[in-house]
Amino acid sequence: MRPAAPKPRSGEGGKAPVSIVMRRLANAIDGLDEPALEKIAKDQQEDPFQVLIATLLSAQTRDAVTHAASTRLFRIARTPRSMAKLAVARIQELIYPVSFYRHKAVHVKQTCEHIMSRFGGRVPSTMEELLTLPGVGRKTANLVLILAHSSQENICVDTHVHRIANRLGWVQTRTPEETERALYESTQRRWWPLINLYLVTWGQNVCRPVYPLCPQCVLKDVCPKIGVTKVGKLVKA
Ligand code: SF4
């Protein structure tokens, strides 16, 4: 009789092995609701401009609200040229109720103007250039590079990725910026473009900010659950 396969354990130093986590999540997220920005990128055939604008709108905003606001805005203006012509007040009206909609409307208009005046109507494809656009930070720039420019060199870190990477023991960091830097060291390059999709989907459905559903998580035997003090109730299928 063959001996039973040894049970996987969290790796050395209490880290969940990256390859095991990513392979399991690849299967586990199948059928779960995708993050809004992934949906928008697919709906818009990875159009860099629309991915950029939707990502700008998404900060601290629920996915459903981001999706609805982006759809309303793109119905009226689909290009930097047409969006730059909209008044800020009209953009505000279209994107409400995304959080900070007043500021975001200003950034959307200014970003469109910069794309027209400095980049010939095309969304730039380097981190350095993207960061010169109003309201664009590393999270937005990384997501545009991954979703719209097919970059294999970037990791997009939002609050879900930051939280889960720490719970898994991949990093020990205090901010998403620190997490991004640490993840380039602690994960293999082939996973970089997938980390955002897998961890954000898991974070929205299972590894939630409060009361994560550890008892029914596919990673429960390998995850050191760092910082988790209370877990959510098991939901019977
Ligand atoms: S839900 Fe629990 S077991 Fe699963 S990744 Fe999050 S902390 Fe780890």
Side-chain angles (χ1 to χ4, degrees), residues 22-35 42 197-198 201-202 205-206 218:
M22 293 301 279
R23 287 204 188 95
R24 286 192 192 171
L25 289 184
N27 290 324
I29 65 168
D30 203 24
L32 295 179
D33 236 8
E34 282 187 326
K42 280 185 192 158
L197 170 63
Y198 289 10
T201 307
W202 210 237
N205 291 279
V206 179
V218 295

Side-chain angles (χ1 to χ4, degrees), residues 164 167-168 202 206-208 212-214 217-220 223 225 228:
I164 300 175
R167 284 178 177 172
L168 290 168
W202 210 237
V206 179
C207 193
R208 306 179 304 202
L213 302 175
C214 300
C217 178
V218 295
L219 307 175
K220 66 183 175 197
C223 177
K225 306 173 192 69
V228 174

Side-chain angles (χ1 to χ4, degrees), residues 25 29 32-38 63 139 143 156-164 194-208:
L25 289 184
I29 65 168
L32 295 179
D33 236 8
E34 282 187 326
L37 295 170
E38 298 277 342
D63 262 28
K139 183 195 120 178
L143 208 57
C156 176
V157 176
D158 71 348
T159 55
H160 291 293
V161 175
H162 172 60
R163 177 181 72 252
I164 300 175
L194 297 169
I195 284 176
N196 185 269
L197 170 63
Y198 289 10
L199 297 197
V200 174
T201 307
W202 210 237
Q204 288 175 341
N205 291 279
V206 179
C207 193
R208 306 179 304 202

Side-chain angles (χ1 to χ4, degrees), residues 95-156:
I95 66 174
Y96 179 84
V98 299
S99 29
F100 311 112
Y101 68 96
R102 288 194 180 87
H103 285 297
K104 287 179 182 174
V106 172
H107 285 154
V108 164
K109 185 168 172 79
Q110 289 175 343
T111 284
C112 294
E113 289 168 349
H114 280 248
I115 291 173
M116 292 310 298
S117 63
R118 294 171 43 223
F119 298 106
R122 297 178 71 84
V123 173
S125 58
T126 67
M127 173 64 76
E128 293 67 31
E129 288 173 330
L130 281 164
L131 290 177
T132 67
L133 296 173
V136 174
R138 287 195 68 87
K139 183 195 120 178
T140 300
N142 276 318
L143 208 57
V144 170
L145 292 170
I146 293 167
L147 294 181
H149 292 303
S150 307
S151 168
Q152 303 293 309
E153 304 293 317
N154 296 78
I155 303 176
C156 176

